[in-house]
Amino acid sequence: MAGSIWLRRERTGRGPVPEHSRAEITAVAVALADADGLAAVSMRKVAAAIGTGPASLYRYVDNRDELVELMADAVIGEIDLDRPPSDDWLADLVALAHAIRGVYRRHRWLLDVVPGRGLGPNTVDVMERALAAMSVLDVPAATKMETFALLNATVVLLVRTEAAVPDPTGEYARAHVEFLASVAAAGGHPHLAAALADPRPAPDPGEDLVDRVLPRVLAGLLDTTRRTR
Amino acid sequence: MAGSIWLRRERTGRGPVPEHSRAEITAVAVALADADGLAAVSMRKVAAAIGTGPASLYRYVDNRDELVELMADAVIGEIDLDRPPSDDWLADLVALAHAIRGVYRRHRWLLDVVPGRGLGPNTVDVMERALAAMSVLDVPAATKMETFALLNATVVLLVRTEAAVPDPTGEYARAHVEFLASVAAAGGHPHLAAALADPRPAPDPGEDLVDRVLPRVLAGLLDTTRRTR
DNA sequence: CATTTTCTGCGAACGCTGATCGCAGAGGAG
DNA sequence: CTCCTCTGCGATCAGCGTTCGCAGAAAATG
């Protein structure tokens, strides 16, 4: 009831044995979100999917936000942390970012989860890995925490931009360019008109956007104090 | 009905004169969001605030998402674009980022608006300004568009991180550190434990996080092709 | 001016949501 | 063996976005 779900034991020992578990509920919810998006994850649908009434879920979770927290941490757990870190802290962080991006690509609903919340055990494990990579850096721990947050935010940023342009034939994209064209045609936006007339495509950012952008973002946060111990 | 709201005229000329306007509805909705967050902006509450029934709003807007789109573009319109651009494109972009950050700080609910959507007239004006600043750069227009998107995303990123740590005494932050401490105490996370034991505060990022981070982010996108014409 | 057409305001309603309450019953704790 | 706590869950509440249909106003049309 009080405090975060990660500090609450799943079972106190008293009373009858629960018929389900957080893990089962979380798996079902993740499957639902993978199929139909985060909005499709309603307490009722999840309950129906595990074969109980709509109210039973509240025996395992205080509210829907907690369920989402479980989901987010569960998919973060897909990240493989077995390979040991190298001696290149930046390369390790970039590799971590790639792994995180993989999670976002596999579970696009994760983009809709409000960040800042949710810091479950799997997320802490990833954080531990990031701190390990940065252990050679002689900066305050708070800065390393910020760096980790910035790394995550950057991955979200890049995944979002790559998800924003996928279907130029879609209904929304069509209305989008139509509006831009009408504004340009109305005059008063010379640079926009020129931009729309430029046929050159952007150089394919491809697979390496993380490699190109992330090091500079991290440098922006670390450069004033970067020192190798 | 079809297409984006920006391509639909507010009034066709036929029929009785509407008692309200998009601008009035938008202003009321923004005030509601400023006071109680985006979730408090329900069609019913907005309708009640302007003194009509719950269904009347649909005469002005197709659905709630369109209303949010109006809101987002309206507050972007607060950005002052009167001052002419300088001859330093990067400084101009950074100044623009500061202005955008100001909007996000004044209307924190904007963080909850799903990005990628919404590209109203005010947003196009800001985009025109960004393109004007970048007119001296000899890169494809598509790259400039991406740069503008990345600029916006970076601002969101920075505002979010600065909003994530505001109140260490809050309920959520308390449970947060409590959980981290319990994980560290359980062992197995040496770097986390060391980080929690580090008393040094982060060097105050202060007002200049945008100035420090943004130029590097933009460089990450532009450096392969950056040339001044 | 009269008619037609189109739009407005809005009460009522539908289906869905997250969440609460209370009750019957199961099963460890002492 | 008794108690006390916990479980499943039907019933229920308040709120949500959205749709429908109708009465009536006003511009366009003849």
Side-chain angles (χ1 to χ4, degrees):
Chain A
M1 205 155 288
S4 98
I5 190 173
W6 309 113
L7 290 170
R8 258 176 3 239
R9 268 193 313 260
E10 183 161 6
R11 183 129 164 60
T12 59
R14 304 280 264 257
V17 194
E19 299 176 6
H20 309 279
S21 68
R22 284 183 189 170
E24 180 193 357
I25 293 172
T26 304
V28 166
V30 167
L32 259 169
D34 286 343
D36 300 319
L38 192 62
V41 179
S42 70
M43 300 300 270
R44 295 170 136 89
K45 283 189 192 148
V46 173
I50 64 172
T52 76
S56 300
L57 285 190
Y58 291 93
R59 295 290 172 194
Y60 300 86
V61 146
D62 268 8
N63 49 49
R64 185 178 182 272
D65 281 353
E66 278 196 355
L67 175 59
V68 174
E69 230 171 305
L70 287 178
M71 294 168 62
D73 194 67
V75 296
I76 289 296
E78 297 174 3
I79 294 176
D80 175 33
L81 296 176
D82 287 342
R83 276 165 303 186
S86 72
D87 58 348
D88 183 345
W89 65 270
L90 183 56
D92 284 350
L93 289 186
V94 170
L96 204 56
H98 276 121
I100 296 174
R101 179 170 65 175
V103 173
Y104 275 88
R105 284 179 170 168
R106 256 169 284 139
H107 309 282
R108 270 175 298 182
W109 50 267
L110 205 53
L111 285 174
D112 299 330
V113 177
V114 315
R117 312 266 316 172
L119 197 62
N122 289 322
T123 310
V124 171
D125 287 345
V126 174
M127 188 186 218
E128 170 74 13
R129 173 54 142 264
L131 289 173
M134 287 184 281
S135 61
V136 295
L137 295 179
D138 187 23
V139 298
T143 299
K144 294 179 181 176
M145 299 286 204
E146 283 179 2
T147 303
F148 180 63
L150 208 57
L151 183 147
N152 277 288
T154 304
V155 170
V156 170
L157 178 159
L158 295 180
V159 174
R160 230 191 259 282
T161 59
E162 85 184 1
V165 207
D167 182 15
T169 63
E171 171 66 20
Y172 178 69
R174 202 192 51 74
H176 188 272
V177 301
E178 189 180 340
F179 174 64
L180 278 185
S182 77
V183 171
H189 296 76
H191 296 100
L192 175 64
L196 291 180
D198 185 348
R200 292 176 293 173
D204 188 286
E207 191 66 21
D208 305 37
L209 206 50
V210 162
D211 305 82
R212 274 168 49 212
V213 174
L214 186 64
R216 294 167 193 276
V217 172
L218 298 185
L221 192 64
L222 293 172
D223 65 347
T224 58
T225 44
R226 192 191 330 179
R227 266 162 293 166
T228 306
R229 181 156 41 193
Chain B
M1 199 157 287
S4 100
I5 191 173
W6 308 113
L7 291 170
R8 249 163 26 225
R9 268 193 316 259
E10 183 162 5
R11 184 129 164 59
T12 59
R14 303 278 264 258
V17 193
E19 298 176 5
H20 309 279
S21 67
R22 284 184 189 170
E24 179 194 357
I25 293 173
T26 304
V28 165
V30 166
L32 260 169
D34 285 345
D36 300 321
L38 192 62
V41 179
S42 69
M43 301 299 270
R44 294 171 137 88
K45 282 188 192 151
V46 173
I50 64 171
T52 78
S56 300
L57 285 190
Y58 291 91
R59 295 290 171 193
Y60 301 86
V61 146
D62 268 7
N63 49 48
R64 184 178 182 273
D65 281 352
E66 278 196 357
L67 175 59
V68 174
E69 228 172 306
L70 288 178
M71 294 168 62
D73 194 67
V75 294
I76 289 297
E78 297 174 2
I79 295 176
D80 175 32
L81 296 176
D82 287 342
R83 277 164 304 186
S86 73
D87 58 347
D88 182 346
W89 64 270
L90 183 56
D92 283 351
L93 288 185
V94 170
L96 205 56
H98 276 121
I100 296 173
R101 179 169 66 175
V103 173
Y104 275 88
R105 284 180 172 168
R106 256 169 285 140
H107 309 281
R108 269 174 298 181
W109 51 267
L110 205 54
L111 286 174
D112 298 330
V113 177
V114 316
R117 313 265 316 171
L119 197 63
N122 290 322
T123 310
V124 170
D125 287 346
V126 174
M127 188 186 219
E128 169 75 12
R129 173 54 143 265
L131 289 173
M134 287 185 280
S135 61
V136 296
L137 295 180
D138 187 23
V139 299
T143 299
K144 294 179 182 176
M145 299 286 204
E146 283 179 2
T147 303
F148 180 64
L150 207 58
L151 183 148
N152 277 288
T154 305
V155 171
V156 171
L157 178 159
L158 296 179
V159 173
R160 231 191 259 284
T161 58
E162 85 184 4
V165 207
D167 182 15
T169 63
E171 171 65 21
Y172 178 70
R174 202 193 50 74
H176 188 273
V177 301
E178 189 181 340
F179 174 63
L180 277 185
S182 77
V183 170
H189 295 76
H191 296 100
L192 174 64
L196 292 179
D198 184 349
R200 292 176 293 173
D204 188 288
E207 192 66 19
D208 304 36
L209 205 49
V210 163
D211 305 83
R212 274 167 51 212
V213 174
L214 186 64
R216 294 168 192 275
V217 172
L218 299 186
L221 193 63
L222 292 171
D223 64 348
T224 57
T225 44
R226 192 192 327 180
R227 266 162 293 164
T228 306
R229 183 157 37 190

